[in-house]
Amino acid sequence: MRDINYLRENYLIFLNKKQENLKKSIEDLQKQECVDEANLQKIRLNIVEIFYKMFNISLSDSPVALKEKYLSFFDKITEPWHINKEKALEFGKESKAIIEELKIQEAEELKNQFKDYYNQIDFS
């Protein structure tokens, strides 16, 4: 039977592994002097770290309360990114639009993984 502890443990493991992999990737890219690629990975790492903190803030004994609070952060945090992306596209600032899209994609991946673990909880 899977409960909130299953969600908490597995999602935190997922976030920790993701952070470790991104840090290793950044290190490898820096060794290869791939500065731009390393910087993009740093942006991704920053997003994972933000949502790691938001998850810990959201932790609750109630899975429903956890879900509502944590998912609300995705809307609040990513809303300006969507606006910035649109403005960047409007003014032909392609690199800015790419960065905003990267942030949005990373957040979406974290959100989907959370939902996957959440949907495995047994509420009976």
Side-chain angles (χ1 to χ4, degrees):
M1 182 158 120
R2 294 182 172 160
D3 60 8
I4 189 143
N5 291 323
Y6 169 83
L7 169 65
R8 188 177 301 144
E9 291 169 17
N10 285 284
Y11 190 64
L12 286 173
I13 289 169
F14 164 76
L15 291 173
N16 284 325
K17 279 185 183 174
K18 192 147 185 63
Q19 288 181 67
E20 288 172 25
N21 290 341
L22 285 167
K23 286 175 184 174
K24 175 141 180 37
S25 176
I26 291 165
E27 191 178 305
D28 292 345
L29 288 166
Q30 287 173 333
K31 285 178 185 172
Q32 298 168 28
E33 298 181 17
C34 300
V35 178
D36 291 342
E37 292 86 350
N39 287 337
L40 291 175
Q41 294 297 74
K42 286 179 186 177
I43 292 167
R44 292 180 65 205
L45 176 61
N46 188 311
I47 303 310
V48 175
E49 289 171 343
I50 289 168
F51 284 102
Y52 180 90
K53 289 174 188 164
M54 296 304 105
F55 182 72
N56 283 314
I57 289 169
S58 303
L59 283 175
S60 158
D61 291 335
S62 161
V64 175
L66 166 62
K67 179 183 179 189
E68 286 177 11
K69 188 169 185 179
Y70 187 57
L71 291 182
S72 74
F73 284 118
F74 284 95
D75 295 333
K76 289 177 197 167
I77 292 171
T78 64
E79 183 179 345
W81 301 344
H82 288 280
I83 294 167
N84 292 342
K85 178 185 165 194
E86 292 306 313
K87 285 182 182 174
L89 290 172
E90 184 180 328
F91 293 105
K93 297 184 177 183
E94 219 171 281
S95 60
K96 177 74 174 154
I98 289 168
I99 289 170
E100 296 302 317
E101 180 60 28
L102 179 72
K103 290 160 55 176
I104 292 164
Q105 286 176 354
E106 192 63 37
E108 199 62 32
E109 181 186 333
L110 299 176
K111 181 178 173 181
N112 289 336
Q113 188 62 53
F114 172 80
K115 286 179 176 180
D116 286 347
Y117 285 125
Y118 183 84
N119 290 333
Q120 295 177 43
I121 295 176
D122 184 1
F123 289 99
S124 54

